[in-house]
Amino acid sequence: MATLDRSAAEALDAADPIAFLRDRFALPDDLVYLDGNSLGARPVSAERRLAAAVRDEWGTGLIRSWNDAGWYTEPDRIAAGLAPLLGADADEVVVADSTSVNLFKLLVAGARLRPGRSAIVACEADFPTDLYIARAAAELLGLELRTVPGPDAVPAALDAGVAVLALCHVDFRSGAIADAAGLTAAAHAAGVLALWDLSHSTGALDVDLHGWGADLAVGCGYKYLNGGPGAPAYAVAARKHHAGLRTPLPGWFSHADPFAFDPGYTPAPGARRLACGTPPVLSLLGLAEGVASLQGATPEQLAAKARGLTALFVDLVDRYCQEVEIASPRDARRRGGQVALRHPWAYPLVQALAARGVIGDFRSPDLARFGFAPAYIRYVDVVAAVEILRAVLDGDDLSRPEFAVRQAVT
Amino acid sequence: MATLDRSAAEALDAADPIAFLRDRFALPDDLVYLDGNSLGARPVSAERRLAAAVRDEWGTGLIRSWNDAGWYTEPDRIAAGLAPLLGADADEVVVADSTSVNLFKLLVAGARLRPGRSAIVACEADFPTDLYIARAAAELLGLELRTVPGPDAVPAALDAGVAVLALCHVDFRSGAIADAAGLTAAAHAAGVLALWDLSHSTGALDVDLHGWGADLAVGCGYKYLNGGPGAPAYAVAARKHHAGLRTPLPGWFSHADPFAFDPGYTPAPGARRLACGTPPVLSLLGLAEGVASLQGATPEQLAAKARGLTALFVDLVDRYCQEVEIASPRDARRRGGQVALRHPWAYPLVQALAARGVIGDFRSPDLARFGFAPAYIRYVDVVAAVEILRAVLDGDDLSRPEFAVRQAVT
């Protein structure tokens, strides 16, 4: 397998129009890192940027750095860099808080744009935090949370009683992509607002909020955006909704003029009214470097590369690793930047792969999940990963106790 | 003035039992930094800690660092270091999100502990974000927001219809301290929960939540806790309330076992149920160093030093700068770690002082505000600041246009 596949992979890498991005990331030489869908790799530039922020801006500039080092306007610059990856305009995007907090804001703000409606629709297969937050927002609003098993069941749940449809664009386990344009249209046909969680999409897929006609969106900064651990998240609101948009978390950074210390509240223009408290600047600067490191690639290029990488992985696993089952869609157009493999010993399998330098992650109960961040994963990495998977399946005893040691974060 | 006062100040510094803390902070030699109540100074240790986090933990450890570098348990360690500064126990404290978001969580969770009551009481003079959030929470809960002009008017506003009293412990403009124990007792006499915003208190004053009998509290990580710009905030809930405490923002990091990816929600034990999404790790590590840098000093020692510093400042301003009015309480026991000076040209005054190396800040319309962080400000710094204030009042034309240039962050 190795020689043949590797030369084909090398040819694919040589023809990759976004291969230039990889040099922007610091990756350990001895690792095939297939977990960029959990924590993106570090941009090379982040080391210098954070060092300067800590030493000079915080240490020497101190409070003056809010103006002099541009901390105050950093969220706007990140939003400007992020907007093209979302198919949105810069003033429709705000960088703030966590995905969970932003989802809460938009569920409430969205429901307020549809007064008199009594339900929120969400999907049981979605990332659990989204369900927890949807349930909590519905309770506070006095709305029903109507859940469906998966995106296919959404249209039947949409009617004139529904205020907001909140869905993950990519299934976090299987990587299956929901039909965002189609479901948004179905929502609109019932007068429902469509809110997309793009955490597993932006930076890896051809997100196109304008093209989809989406109303609202949230997403994560630390996966394919490579913003660093726990990087701030983002929220998006289509411009047509700005005038009526009322956040339930109107912290001072969502005010039109925070430093007026006005006891009365006037929302900032555009999506910035979805900010809340003071942003965590050090983490914000990590995100700035992460978003900057994707500049020069279009969402279409990123998506095409992700499809190419996952297609090669699926093909090689099919051919060489028949003990594992592909648990992701086989149609590359319906698959995000990740592939899940089903195996009864999935947890030890992930540990054994890590011991040999292939980092994926485990999702309960029986999935080994591999992310193929198109910005820095090469086709040759896919070949290497499958070679090592084959070696693990051949040579490692997955019942060994050290592979079963449960870690807090999996 | 200079010689006499300086030797007295040097004697006070020599006798300062927490003088050893200053060496833990990186401060520019040419600056008298009196804005630690806006952004605390950088702990020396933060430079190395952040560099390792960016280069080794994020760059090389990648996703494994959640376990191997202890990112996942860092909030618990910070809470353990912070608890003694709050007069609380570690399991009553959680580090997460911003002060605004935490205030929202606790207003809602607190109101749910007092079902059937119809009002929240807050103070018009409090930090505006607190009012915005209180108004927003009250609206979502269908409660009345009852505001009073200041802490003195609180008791008359408390009755059996009030669920939660939310107050800033220190007035952000004047530095006046509210009577936390007395107002908490007054709240309890009416069956009301007391929620304290300690943003301008913790790390500078003798906060004692257990002693006050307080129910709930929030506060800021980037002021006297020196956690870095926009550092995560904290929330506190007295243990007796844990069992019934229901956050309106149940993100996955508030779940008892986030990585079980359980569609059903089970809250984490203790105050950790007040967490929400993935924490911003880089900013969190800044806070870890900030809280660590205060270890070895008690709240009483920090408060005594703050009283000493502000008393010296008030005394010297009274004696040498009679053009400005002391706008903070003259009784040191009623004054936080800051002093506000009233002057019709307060904005240019702050700019002119900054040009001469004394950093304070401006609070509209006519206050120049100076914070005396007890961890690193010395008595000799107070003398230097007043000398320079005298020089500005004598020598600088405050009508010069460069002093009027309005900055985004003031």
Side-chain angles (χ1 to χ4, degrees), chain A residues 58-282:
Chain A
W58 178 12
T60 304
L62 286 155
I63 191 70
R64 300 170 292 190
S65 292
W66 279 102
N67 294 307
D68 298 350
W71 292 346
Y72 187 60
T73 47
E74 192 65 52
D76 294 339
R77 281 192 295 281
I78 299 172
L82 185 50
L85 297 170
L86 294 163
D89 291 329
D91 71 327
E92 298 177 306
V93 181
V94 70
V95 169
D97 299 308
S98 66
T99 311
S100 297
V101 169
N102 288 338
L103 180 61
F104 178 83
K105 293 173 190 166
L106 285 183
L107 283 167
V108 174
R112 285 171 168 170
L113 292 170
R114 290 293 179 269
R117 294 184 175 225
S118 62
I120 289 171
V121 170
C123 174
E124 288 157 22
D126 276 354
F127 196 73
T129 204
D130 290 36
L131 283 175
Y132 309 156
I133 292 290
R135 208 174 289 132
E139 180 185 351
L140 268 173
L141 292 163
L143 301 181
E144 169 203 0
L145 178 65
R146 199 179 290 178
T147 60
V148 296
D152 291 347
V154 162
L158 298 172
D159 59 41
V162 177
V164 183
L165 164 67
L167 275 186
C168 288
H169 180 229
V170 171
D171 182 290
F172 79 104
R173 290 187 179 87
S174 71
I177 300 179
D179 173 11
L183 291 172
T184 297
H188 290 177
V192 176
L193 295 180
L195 193 179
W196 290 98
D197 182 340
L198 304 171
S199 291
H200 289 86
S201 309
T202 311
L205 298 182
D206 43 351
V207 173
D208 184 11
L209 291 170
H210 283 178
W212 302 345
D215 301 285
L216 307 166
V218 297
C220 172
Y222 54 78
K223 298 178 184 288
Y224 296 113
L225 294 180
N226 309 302
Y234 54 92
V236 191
R239 185 174 297 110
K240 65 180 171 186
H241 296 306
H242 288 181
L245 206 66
R246 291 181 52 239
T247 174
L249 292 171
W252 69 320
F253 269 62
S254 76
H255 192 282
D257 185 4
F259 290 88
F261 299 97
D262 177 5
Y265 179 76
T266 307
R272 197 150 60 79
R273 70 186 55 195
L274 295 168
C276 184
T278 312
V281 171
L282 300 182

Side-chain angles (χ1 to χ4, degrees), chain B residues 11 22 29 46 70 89 93 98 134 163 182 249 263 314 317 322 357 376 392 401 403:
Chain B
R22 181 177 165 97
D29 290 334
D89 292 329
V93 181
S98 65
L249 292 172
V314 167
V317 168
Q322 289 165 7
Y376 50 79
V392 165
F403 294 146

Side-chain angles (χ1 to χ4, degrees), chain B residues 42-57:
Chain B
R42 177 173 70 76
V44 171
S45 62
E47 186 170 351
R48 191 189 297 190
R49 183 76 183 88
L50 266 298
V54 173
R55 190 185 56 232
D56 305 328
E57 299 174 11

Side-chain angles (χ1 to χ4, degrees), chain A residues 297-388:
Chain A
T298 66
E300 293 72 22
Q301 288 174 318
L302 292 161
K305 172 97 178 278
R307 278 195 299 271
L309 293 167
T310 57
L312 178 60
F313 184 72
V314 167
D315 179 50
L316 294 177
V317 168
D318 272 345
R319 286 158 61 195
Y320 298 106
C321 307
Q322 290 165 7
E323 303 95 319
V324 297
E325 177 195 342
I326 303 286
S328 296
R330 288 186 166 276
D331 178 349
R333 292 165 303 178
R334 294 208 49 228
R335 191 173 58 218
Q338 67 193 67
V339 175
L341 302 182
R342 183 167 285 122
H343 189 280
W345 294 77
Y347 187 82
L349 179 66
V350 168
Q351 303 303 316
L353 283 165
R356 289 175 181 258
V358 175
I359 307 294
D361 60 22
F362 166 74
R363 287 298 172 262
S364 185
D366 59 359
L367 296 181
R369 196 179 67 154
F370 303 93
F372 298 85
Y376 51 79
I377 299 298
R378 301 165 301 191
Y379 291 95
V380 292
D381 296 321
V382 175
V383 174
V386 178
E387 284 173 352
I388 293 171

Side-chain angles (χ1 to χ4, degrees), chain B:
Chain B
M1 137 190 186
T3 311
L4 181 69
D5 292 323
R6 187 172 291 273
S7 67
E10 283 167 353
L12 288 168
D13 284 320
D16 173 13
I18 57 171
F20 67 92
L21 292 176
R22 181 177 165 97
D23 283 346
R24 298 181 183 170
F25 294 90
L27 287 158
D29 290 334
D30 56 350
L31 221 59
V32 179
Y33 188 63
L34 303 182
D35 210 7
N37 50 328
S38 278
L39 174 65
R42 177 173 70 76
V44 171
S45 62
E47 186 170 351
R48 191 189 297 190
R49 183 76 183 88
L50 266 298
V54 173
R55 190 185 56 232
D56 305 328
E57 299 174 11
W58 178 13
T60 304
L62 287 154
I63 191 70
R64 300 170 293 189
S65 292
W66 279 103
N67 293 307
D68 299 350
W71 291 347
Y72 187 60
T73 47
E74 193 65 53
D76 294 338
R77 281 192 295 281
I78 299 172
L82 185 50
L85 296 170
L86 294 162
D89 292 329
D91 71 326
E92 298 178 306
V93 181
V94 70
V95 169
D97 298 308
S98 65
T99 310
S100 297
V101 170
N102 288 336
L103 181 62
F104 178 83
K105 294 173 191 167
L106 286 183
L107 283 167
V108 175
R112 286 172 168 171
L113 292 170
R114 290 292 180 268
R117 294 184 174 226
S118 62
I120 289 171
V121 170
C123 175
E124 289 157 21
D126 276 354
F127 196 73
T129 203
D130 290 35
L131 283 174
Y132 308 155
I133 293 289
R135 208 174 288 133
E139 179 184 353
L140 269 174
L141 292 163
L143 302 181
E144 169 203 1
L145 179 66
R146 200 180 288 179
T147 61
V148 297
D152 291 348
V154 163
L158 298 171
D159 58 41
V162 177
V164 182
L165 164 67
L167 275 186
C168 288
H169 180 228
V170 171
D171 183 290
F172 80 103
R173 289 188 180 86
S174 71
I177 299 180
D179 174 10
L183 290 171
T184 297
H188 289 177
V192 176
L193 295 180
L195 193 178
W196 290 98
D197 183 340
L198 304 171
S199 291
H200 289 86
S201 308
T202 311
L205 298 182
D206 43 351
V207 174
D208 184 11
L209 291 171
H210 283 178
W212 301 346
D215 301 285
L216 306 166
V218 297
C220 171
Y222 54 79
K223 297 178 185 288
Y224 296 114
L225 294 181
N226 309 301
Y234 54 92
V236 191
R239 187 173 295 110
K240 65 180 172 187
H241 296 307
H242 288 181
L245 206 67
R246 289 182 52 239
T247 174
L249 292 172
W252 68 321
F253 269 63
S254 76
H255 191 283
D257 185 5
F259 290 87
F261 298 99
D262 177 6
Y265 180 76
T266 307
R272 198 151 57 80
R273 72 186 53 194
L274 295 168
C276 183
T278 311
V281 171
L282 300 182
S283 288
L284 190 72
L285 296 178
L287 180 60
E289 297 309 312
V291 169
S293 296
L294 295 177
Q295 300 302 308
T298 66
E300 294 72 23
Q301 287 175 318
L302 291 161
K305 173 96 177 279
R307 278 194 300 271
L309 293 166
T310 57
L312 178 61
F313 185 72
V314 167
D315 179 51
L316 294 177
V317 168
D318 271 347
R319 286 157 61 194
Y320 298 106
C321 307
Q322 289 165 7
E323 303 94 320
V324 297
E325 175 195 344
I326 304 286
S328 296
R330 289 185 166 276
D331 178 349
R333 294 165 303 179
R334 292 208 51 227
R335 192 173 59 218
Q338 66 193 68
V339 175
L341 303 181
R342 181 167 287 119
H343 188 281
W345 293 77
Y347 187 83
L349 178 65
V350 167
Q351 303 304 316
L353 282 165
R356 290 176 182 257
V358 175
I359 307 294
D361 60 22
F362 166 74
R363 287 298 173 260
S364 183
D366 60 357
L367 296 182
R369 195 180 68 153
F370 303 94
F372 298 85
Y376 50 79
I377 299 298
R378 300 164 302 191
Y379 290 94
V380 293
D381 296 320
V382 176
V383 174
V386 179
E387 284 174 351
I388 293 171
L389 173 60
R390 183 66 263 159
V392 165
L393 293 169
D394 285 339
D396 286 348
D397 175 4
L398 296 182
S399 70
R400 277 162 56 188
E402 66 264 39
F403 294 146
V405 174
R406 185 64 184 255
Q407 311 235 33
V409 177
T410 60

